């Protein structure tokens, strides 16, 4: 096995650190909002909280995908790496799609009653993930997420536009949507972006999800 390039230790360290922070915050938000859901049984909160569970899982697989790409450009083991790359890309796409569908439904569940929403979301997520894997490009996934994101923004704004008081949940929606927008840039084609710009996006992303965690913590007190 021949070594062609060395894995960039700086980029790998940044990706590992970013993944650990984001995944940790996502899971902490998931467990924190569980306290609120147990008290209120609010359906919107239920789907809002599992958004973070799915997003945390998506980031784990996203990191694996990046790791496999780095290994792929370093070692001559293309077949096995491509298999793992497809595996991580599928599940990364699946969990991220489940996350955004859960977030969307948390804003429209009063207007759109679905008997088995998670079953429907699973079918949609599998379909979108298959499209992403077949195309061997993140572009379809990013495009579909952007469409869902736009729809969620419209629905969230419409749902709370008639309210005189901005609810804490609406603030969390806006913050998470900002977090997602930043991550669309992070997930996009990054070969044209200097590592400094990538790190800047990641810092903004961490700051936003950190604020969400802070808001949730205050909300649960």
């Amino acid at each position: 096995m021949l070594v062609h390039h060395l894995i960039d230790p700086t980029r790998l360290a940044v990706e590992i650190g970013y993944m650990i922070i984001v995944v940790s915050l996502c899971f902490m938000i998931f467990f924190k909002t569980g306290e609120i859901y147990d008290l209120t049984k609010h359906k919107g909160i239920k789907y809002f909280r599992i958004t973070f569970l799915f997003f945390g899982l998506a980031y784990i697989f996203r990191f694996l995908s990046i790791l496999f790409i780095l290994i792929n450009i370093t070692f001559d083991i293309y077949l096995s790496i491509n298999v793992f790359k497809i595996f991580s890309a599928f599940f990364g796409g699946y969990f991220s799609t489940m996350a955004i569908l859960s977030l969307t439904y948390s804003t429209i569940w009063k207007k759109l009653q679905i008997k088995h929403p998670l079953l429907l979301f699973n079918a949609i997520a599998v379909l979108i993930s298959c499209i992403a894997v077949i195309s061997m490009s993140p572009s379809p996934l990013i495009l579909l997420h952007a469409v869902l994101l736009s729809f969620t923004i419209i629905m969230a704004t419409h749902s709370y536009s008639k309210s005189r008081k901005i609810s804490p949940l609406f603030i969390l929606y806006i913050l998470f949507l900002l977090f997602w927008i930043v991550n669309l840039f992070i997930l996009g084609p990054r070969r044209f972006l200097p590592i400094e710009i990538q790190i800047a996006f990641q810092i903004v992303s961490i700051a936003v999800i950190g604020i969400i965690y802070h808001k949730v913590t205050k909300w649960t007190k």
Side-chain angles (χ1 to χ4, degrees):
M1 183 171 60
L2 299 176
V3 178
H4 295 292
H5 307 282
L6 292 176
I7 294 176
D8 184 350
T10 302
R11 181 178 177 184
L12 184 59
V14 168
E15 292 292 347
I16 291 174
Y18 179 65
M19 185 272 296
I20 291 173
I21 294 172
V22 170
V23 170
S24 298
L25 287 171
C26 283
F27 288 163
M28 286 191 292
I29 292 170
F30 170 73
F31 289 114
K32 275 289 183 182
T33 49
E35 299 172 13
I36 306 172
Y37 177 69
D38 289 339
L39 290 173
T40 64
K41 300 300 180 182
H42 190 280
K43 203 170 183 179
I45 294 175
K46 172 186 176 180
Y47 288 98
F48 180 78
R49 67 184 295 260
I50 64 174
T51 295
F52 290 92
L53 173 64
F54 287 130
F55 201 78
L57 292 171
Y59 252 88
I60 292 175
F61 282 97
R62 173 184 171 271
F63 170 74
L64 291 177
S65 178
I66 292 172
L67 181 62
F68 292 143
I69 291 172
L70 290 174
I71 294 174
N72 193 31
I73 63 175
T74 303
F75 303 106
D76 283 328
I77 48 176
Y78 299 106
L79 180 60
S80 59
I81 289 300
N82 283 333
V83 171
F84 282 116
K85 183 180 175 182
I86 291 171
F87 176 82
S88 59
F90 176 84
F91 282 100
Y94 167 79
F95 284 120
S96 59
T97 303
M98 286 294 292
I100 198 168
L101 287 172
S102 298
L103 180 68
T104 302
Y105 192 63
S106 70
T107 67
I108 63 172
W109 66 273
K110 289 183 179 179
K111 298 180 176 64
L112 183 63
Q113 294 291 329
I114 302 175
K115 190 173 183 180
H116 301 291
L118 288 179
L119 187 61
L120 176 62
F121 297 166
N122 270 282
I124 295 172
V126 168
L127 177 62
I128 291 177
S129 298
C130 287
I131 293 172
V133 170
I134 292 171
S135 66
M136 294 301 291
S137 169
S139 298
L141 186 65
I142 293 172
L143 178 61
L144 289 167
H145 282 187
V147 172
L148 287 171
L149 178 63
S150 301
F151 177 74
T152 305
I153 292 172
I154 293 170
M155 293 305 300
T157 303
H158 177 72
S159 297
Y160 293 97
S161 60
K162 297 180 181 180
S163 176
R164 295 181 179 179
K165 184 179 179 181
I166 299 177
S167 72
L169 188 59
F170 179 67
I171 295 173
L172 293 180
Y173 280 133
I174 297 301
L175 287 171
F176 189 79
L177 291 172
L178 176 60
F179 173 69
W180 205 293
I181 290 170
V182 173
N183 276 274
L184 286 179
F185 285 100
I186 294 174
L187 290 171
R190 296 183 293 171
R191 58 183 178 274
F192 301 113
L193 292 177
I195 189 171
E196 293 82 5
I197 302 298
Q198 297 176 27
I199 293 174
F201 277 126
Q202 290 173 332
I203 290 172
V204 172
S205 181
I206 290 171
V208 173
I209 198 168
I211 293 171
I212 294 174
Y213 175 72
H214 176 68
K215 292 284 186 183
V216 168
T217 302
K218 288 180 63 178
W219 196 11
T220 55
K221 287 183 179 179

